[in-house]
Each structure stands twice: as structure tokens, then as C-alpha cells.
Amino acid sequence: MSYRVAMDIGGTFTDVVCYDERSGTVTASKAPTTPGDLAEGVFAALGRVVDDPAGISFFVHGTTQGLNALLERKGARVLLLAGQGGRDVYQIARGNRDRMFDLRYRKPAPLVPRQDVMEAGGRLDYLGRELVPLDEESVRAAGRRAREEGFDAVAVCLLFSYANPAHELRAGEILRAELGDDVLVVLSHEVAREWREYERTSSAVLEAYTGPVVRRYLARIERRFAERGLAVPVHVMQSSGGLVNASYAMRRPLQTLLSGPVGGTMGGVAAARFMDRENAICIDMGGTSFDVSLVVNGRPDVSAEARIEGYPVLMPIVNLHTIGAGGGSIAYAEAGALRVGPESAGAVPGPACYGRGGTRATVTDANVVLGRVDPAWFAGGLMTLDVEAAGTAVATLADELDMDPLLLAEGICDVANAKMAQAIRTLTVEHGIEPREFALVAFGGAGAMHAVFIARELGISEVVVPRFPGAFSAWGMLEADVRRDLTHPYFRSQDTLDGPDMSRNFGTLEEDALAALSAQGVPEERRRVEHAVDMRYEGQDYTLTIPLRDAAEPAEPGFLETIAARYAEAHTSRYGHATPEAPVEFVMLRSTGLGSFPRTAAAAQEAPEERAAYVRDVIFDGAVHSTPVLRRSSLDGELAGPAIVVEETATTVIPPGCVATVDPNGFLIVKVNL
């Protein structure tokens, strides 16, 4: 058994990467995604890179099952059990307006209607001390209703359960006895042991809403593996950028919500490490969506909380900004103007050039019309594109807008590029980050086709196209660690801080994290734990997460002054100012257990083949350029634009004035003429 396999299941294609531990070689391919039964696409993709599936020693994949259920509002029917007097917490939510000047702003509709919220008697105080015992009969009543009315999941969120989970644990025992394994029971303190009642409730509801869908999917994948006699454990990418095995993911399905796109971020971290760069903007352009994430100081940009579709969720999550812009994004006329996306042609029927019945112009069709795609060797020869169908689709829209088809095709790409550049500004400029100080790492099936044009919009001078860009998110999963995140509420002012006590609490979290890694099968020598504390200035509402050197640091002399100085530095970086003389408060302890697997090679460039190429006419800036089309495997030395570089998983477009080179890792580095 020597194959380490990773797979990214996208809306259009299922991308797969295989690392052969014996030879050190990396191969990549893809297969069409099969929306009716994703497992079919999974095994079709496996067959393209592995001769004998019995040789697979490690398998990890990213899934968007939970996210799709949320986006399409096709999740489970959830019964919410709140504490006595807290029935309306979830409905009221927060009073702040996310879009201050949007006169049509509406809060997201709750995933659980008010009539499906019940109360459980009992009460704890803010320190977790019992004031009123749990009313077990009210919990049983909720269980009976869930069974009789056919609910798929029950979410339990009781007041102050983050301080003392005893009432929630007992409620969970009762509900599971009433409902068996057919109904998912979610306890809020297990999802997010953090304060803020509404946010914790929202997190529990999200897990209950998406959990049954994810659990069924993972169970089906494991069953299909077993049917084929494959004993390899299935791993899943988490939203935090770490891995867990499928059994844990089925218990904590919320962790997989963004598991597909996050693989690309972890690939960006690995690419930055190979190239000895600290900062990178990762862009993943596929058939349906465009995802942006950051690598800052060599680490993924991870937040302790996020909002997904307007719903707050308390869990470590890679900061991703996603828009509906991909190769399948449909171009259309609206009020006499050109619009592109977010509607996508998807895998079926797909762009017109796919020859599957699509008739509407897409971004991929525009690139075909402009000559920026090799129609005879698209996706490494997996598909032959229908150039005539693409031209007809673009010409039809051009007639509607009274434009020349070639100008319209370039306009479709320009509009898409502008939308994607704005998505990058949302994560950079709007947070005080200068994108010109970052390299642009482009991947996804269409990322390298548009990367240089996006870089020009932002003033970025360097574009990096890694090996196998169309399957880079899958490759990134092979570079990720097993990860478990643990938290412990710890409300202290600087005057009441007991450093040795904080250190002891971190020690307990570290033991739990190491035990969790052991349960995931990580060898002892590959386990490590990182610690951080959430802090704020006295009187502030929200916090910043400040890393610690180790669990023993809080017990050292001068710790308060050291950590306060770190907080002031982080506050200045985030908000542009700090108040060093102001007293600080401590809110939450965080420990992250990380278990590393053997890394893959950087997929170094093989000896270049003979540069077999042909020349075709390609449109750049409204002019026709005679442009060589080359296989990536033939590249050596410098390549001056214009040029089209094709490989099995993507196409890289190098416009006039740009120069590309291949570095020792096999990455294609494009210097952009600004």
C-alpha cells in the first residue's frame, strides 16, 4: 500500500491527486462530477490515477454536501430545545444591521421556525452553578414530538452550558434514549463551548440542519469503499484547514462545511513554504465559483468565528470569500448591459462548448472564442471542445447587445475579471492589507487562465501557477495536518489573572488535544499542540486571538506585560491603533492539536520534453496575436508572452509583455507587466 490520494469534489469536475510514496511521483486527473450519486464520480476519478485501489494507504477528500444543503435550503428538519425563557433567542438574533445603508436589508430567515422551538425547564447561573434542576419530563416531551412529527435532528442549547454542560449532557442522554440513532441530537457545548447565546444556538442549529446530509454522504462513501474491499480509512477536510477521519466528521459534521475550498488554502501554505515566501493570495476559479483566501506569515488566515449565508458560526474557519464566478458562469443582457454570473451552467448542461446541450454563453465559451483554449486538448484531452457551439452562443448574445462577437467575448472575460478582483479587495484592502505585497497563487480549472488579468487589476506583479493547478485543492489536502480545536471559557480581568491557574487549564486542554490526536491515529512523534488566548480591552465587546509560546508561558514572571504588549501590537495591526495603558481582559483559552503526516514532494519539474508547439491566433486587448500553444512539460528557461500553456488540469494564459519561468519546484512564475 503506497498511494496517498486526495480528492476535491467540485460542482463541475471531481479532481484527484495521487502521491506514490515509493517513487515520489505525483499524478493528477479529473472526472466529471456526478450530482445524482457523487460516489460514482469519486471512483471514476480514482480509476484515472490508481491502477490498483487496494494500494491506497491514505484517502482524504473535501465535500460540499453540508454547504450545498445550506445554500439550497435542503437541510434537515430541526427541532430546537432551548432553556426556559429562551425560546425566542434564535428568532430575535442580533439587532445590528450588516449593511447599514441597504434599505431593503432583511435578516436571514431562521432555519428553525418558531413553532419548532421548545423549552426545557432548569437553570444554571453564569458560573455554571445549578439554580433549578433540569426538568427531564420537558426533555422527554421534546423527544416524543421529534419522533411523532418526523424531525431529522434535535438541537439543544441551554443557557450557560459552556460553563457547565451537565444539563445538556443529561438532555442528550434522554433524547437519544427516546429517538435512537435515526435522529441526530446536537448539543451546543459540543459544537461550540463558547459564550454568546445566539451565536452558540446558531452554530448548533447549523450542525443539526446540515448534519444528516453529511452523515448520509460519508456513510455512503465508506460503504462503497467497503464493497470494493478497500480497508483504507476515509479522511475529510475541515473548515479550519485540518483533517479528521470520517467517523469524527459524522459526529461533528459542521466542521466540514467549507471543506472543499479550504484545501486550496492549505496548498497555498505549502506552495509559500516551497518558494520561501510568507504572504500569498490564493484564488481558486472552478466551473461554478471563485474562492479567495490568504496566507499571512506562512500560515492560513483562520478566524475563530464566521458568518455563512448570514448565520453566525463559532468554530475555527479559514477566511474565505466566495462569489459566483467560474468558467461556467453565464453571461446575459440586463437593461442593455452585460452581466456575468452568478448563475452557472454547472456540469450539466455545462458551457455550450462542452457539447452537452448548453446554448447560453459562458466565460469558458468566451475564452474559446478568443482562442485562449486548446479545444483539441482541453483537460488533457479528456474533452474536445465544440468551437462552433461556443461561437454561436457568444454571437447570439452579441446580437442581443448589438456588439461584435469578439469584443463581447473579451468583455465577458473583463467583467468576470473585475468581479474577481473586487472579491480579492474584500479580504485585503477592506482589512487594511495591501495586495501588491502578496504573490497571487492561481489554481482551479480556470484560475490560471484569468490570473494575470486579475493581477493587473490589483497591481500585483507576480503570479504563481503551481503544478496541477486544476487539482491543486486536492494536492493541498495531502499537505494538511490532522487538527482538533479545543476551547475553555476563561473570564478574567488583568487584576484577577492567576497565571499558574491559566497554565494548568492550558495543560488540561493540551492533554485532551493529544488524546484526540491519538484517537485519530497520529503517532506520538508527529503530535504537537499550539495555544492562544482571546483578549480584549476592558469595556470592549469583541476579542482578538493572541498566540502563546507554550502552555507554561502564563506561569512565567512578567507574563501579563508580555501578553498585553502582544495584544496592543495585534490591535494596531487589525484596527490601526491601540491603547497600551488600558487594562485588558481574558475571555477564552484555545488549544489546537496538530498531527502531521508525511509530506508529498513538491512535484518537481521533470526534464523538459522537446518543445512541440503550434501557433494560433489569440485575441488580447482587441488585437490578434500569433500565439504559441505549448505543453507545460516542455517548458524550460524563460517564456515571453503571448503564450498559451496547456496541461492536463488547466490552461495558463500569458498575455503580451509578461514573462514566465519555471522554478525548481515546477511552479510557473509569471512576472506581470503593470
Side-chain angles (χ1 to χ4, degrees):
M1 299 177 70
S2 63
Y3 298 120
R4 294 170 53 81
V5 177
M7 194 170 292
D8 178 26
I9 304 171
T12 305
F13 286 104
T14 294
D15 303 315
V16 60
V17 168
C18 177
Y19 175 60
D20 189 332
E21 295 175 310
R22 293 172 301 183
S23 64
T25 59
V26 180
T27 55
S29 189
K30 58 177 59 190
T33 296
T34 50
D37 184 358
L38 293 178
E40 292 300 321
V42 166
F43 287 102
L46 275 179
R48 296 182 185 277
V49 294
V50 177
D51 293 331
D52 181 11
I56 299 174
S57 61
F58 177 84
F59 177 80
V60 59
H61 76 304
T63 173
T64 57
Q65 288 291 289
L67 182 60
N68 290 343
L70 176 61
L71 295 175
E72 299 172 12
R73 298 298 187 269
K74 294 181 179 178
R77 186 183 177 200
V78 179
L79 178 70
L80 173 60
L81 184 61
Q84 189 169 8
R87 181 182 182 189
D88 293 316
V89 166
Y90 183 61
Q91 306 297 319
I92 294 171
R94 293 293 177 189
N96 57 305
R97 293 170 61 93
D98 289 340
R99 298 189 293 276
M100 186 67 69
F101 301 105
D102 184 354
L103 299 180
R104 294 185 174 87
Y105 173 73
R106 293 290 184 273
K107 290 181 183 179
L111 297 174
V112 179
R114 189 175 186 275
Q115 64 265 27
D116 291 341
V117 183
M118 298 180 67
E119 294 184 2
R123 180 59 61 92
L124 305 174
D125 71 5
Y126 73 101
L127 294 175
R129 297 173 300 200
E130 185 176 80
L131 301 178
V132 180
L134 177 68
D135 181 357
E136 296 189 359
E137 183 52 39
S138 64
V139 179
R140 291 189 180 91
R144 288 193 295 271
R145 181 183 171 190
R147 183 178 61 252
E148 293 167 0
E149 298 185 18
F151 284 89
D152 303 300
V154 178
V156 183
C157 188
L158 305 181
L159 192 62
F160 300 123
S161 62
Y162 63 84
N164 179 0
H167 281 190
E168 279 197 356
L169 288 170
R170 179 56 184 151
E173 291 175 358
I174 295 170
L175 289 169
R176 291 181 179 114
E178 288 279 341
L179 300 169
D181 296 331
D182 294 334
V183 177
L184 175 64
V185 176
V186 175
L187 307 181
S188 72
H189 78 276
E190 293 179 344
V191 178
R193 193 165 182 176
E194 302 186 30
W195 72 306
R196 298 188 191 279
E197 188 73 3
Y198 166 62
E199 285 76 6
R200 185 160 46 88
T201 303
S202 174
S203 301
V205 168
L206 276 169
E207 176 151 300
Y209 187 77
T210 61
V213 175
V214 174
R215 292 208 306 176
R216 286 193 297 269
Y217 163 73
L218 291 175
R220 186 163 61 248
I221 290 291
E222 287 199 315
R223 186 170 62 252
R224 293 292 185 87
F225 267 68
E227 289 171 355
R228 286 166 169 78
L230 304 180
V232 58
V234 175
H235 287 77
V236 186
M237 194 78 190
Q238 297 183 94
S239 303
S240 63
L243 308 180
V244 290
N245 60 31
S247 61
Y248 177 81
M250 283 190 273
R251 295 196 304 273
R252 294 273 73 84
L254 185 64
Q255 302 290 337
T256 70
L257 205 59
L258 296 178
S259 76
V262 165
T265 307
M266 301 314 296
V269 172
R273 181 177 71 248
F274 284 130
M275 297 185 298
D276 197 24
R277 288 167 173 77
E278 292 210 328
N279 300 323
I281 298 170
C282 304
I283 61 169
D284 181 0
M285 183 181 179
T288 305
S289 62
F290 176 80
D291 303 312
V292 185
S293 57
L294 302 179
V295 177
V296 181
N297 297 324
R299 302 170 70 92
D301 181 25
V302 177
S303 290
E305 59 183 288
R307 297 184 74 87
I308 301 175
E309 285 292 286
Y311 302 106
V313 55
L314 295 175
M315 68 176 181
I317 190 166
V318 170
N319 282 323
L320 278 166
H321 184 57
T322 302
I323 63 171
S329 293
I330 294 172
Y332 60 98
E334 182 178 78
L338 174 64
R339 299 283 187 268
V340 180
E343 182 183 359
S344 173
V348 179
C353 61
Y354 282 12
R356 296 175 180 164
T359 58
R360 303 175 68 184
T362 66
V363 173
T364 297
D365 294 315
N367 279 301
V368 170
V369 169
L370 294 171
R372 298 176 183 177
V373 178
D374 183 354
W377 208 72
F378 185 72
L382 181 65
M383 298 176 66
T384 299
L385 300 183
D386 188 336
V387 178
E388 184 178 348
T392 300
V394 172
T396 300
L397 181 58
D399 289 342
E400 186 177 348
L401 291 168
D402 193 23
M403 291 181 64
D404 177 79
L406 290 178
L407 290 178
L408 175 64
E410 198 158 21
I412 290 171
C413 292
D414 289 343
V415 170
N417 293 335
K419 289 180 65 175
M420 292 184 282
Q422 184 56 40
I424 294 173
R425 293 187 186 99
T426 300
L427 274 191
T428 55
V429 175
E430 293 183 13
H431 289 81
I433 296 173
E434 174 53 72
R436 287 178 292 187
E437 298 174 359
F438 286 62
L440 189 68
V441 180
F443 49 95
M449 199 179 303
H450 291 258
V452 173
F453 304 98
I454 297 170
R456 282 176 173 171
E457 289 254 356
L458 297 165
I460 296 173
S461 61
E462 183 180 70
V463 168
V464 178
V465 182
R467 295 292 308 279
F468 317 120
F472 186 69
S473 289
W475 180 75
M477 295 176 196
L478 291 180
E479 295 295 314
D481 295 326
V482 172
R483 175 169 175 152
R484 289 292 299 275
D485 292 278
L486 303 176
T487 60
H488 179 69
Y490 198 80
F491 296 91
R492 301 288 190 279
S493 68
Q494 68 177 39
D495 294 333
T496 60
L497 175 66
D498 182 342
D501 179 69
M502 179 185 282
S503 182
R504 284 191 294 273
N505 277 276
F506 271 124
T508 301
L509 288 175
E510 182 167 321
E511 291 175 3
D512 293 343
L514 291 173
L517 294 176
S518 176
Q520 294 283 312
V522 179
E524 183 176 358
E525 66 275 10
R526 293 186 176 276
R527 305 173 202 157
R528 71 186 191 278
V529 182
E530 297 178 351
H531 304 284
V533 58
D534 287 1
M535 297 177 61
R536 63 188 179 189
Y537 284 128
E538 200 172 78
Q540 282 185 322
D541 192 21
Y542 288 88
T543 62
L544 294 175
T545 301
I546 309 301
L548 301 182
R549 188 178 65 252
D550 53 41
E553 186 181 0
E556 297 175 357
F559 169 72
L560 181 60
E561 292 75 14
T562 300
I563 199 69
R566 286 185 206 162
Y567 178 74
E569 182 180 350
H571 201 280
T572 300
S573 176
R574 179 66 180 86
Y575 299 110
H577 65 90
T579 312
E581 68 277 6
V584 296
E585 294 178 333
F586 303 88
V587 177
M588 186 74 62
L589 309 184
R590 299 186 182 275
S591 294
T592 301
L594 297 167
S596 61
F597 286 113
R599 302 299 189 195
T600 66
Q605 178 80 347
E606 300 91 349
E609 302 173 359
E610 183 179 349
R611 184 172 289 193
Y614 74 94
V615 176
R616 64 183 298 152
D617 289 340
V618 181
I619 308 298
F620 292 103
D621 298 320
V624 178
H625 294 259
S626 294
T627 303
V629 179
L630 306 103
R631 298 284 179 93
R632 180 162 179 168
S633 57
S634 72
L635 299 184
D636 187 25
E638 286 191 348
L639 174 64
I644 305 295
V645 178
V646 297
E647 57 185 299
E648 187 172 359
T649 64
T651 297
T652 301
V653 176
I654 305 170
C658 299
V659 177
T661 56
V662 180
D663 79 351
N665 299 307
F667 297 152
L668 190 62
I669 312 296
V670 183
K671 297 299 181 182
V672 182
N673 61 326
L674 300 175

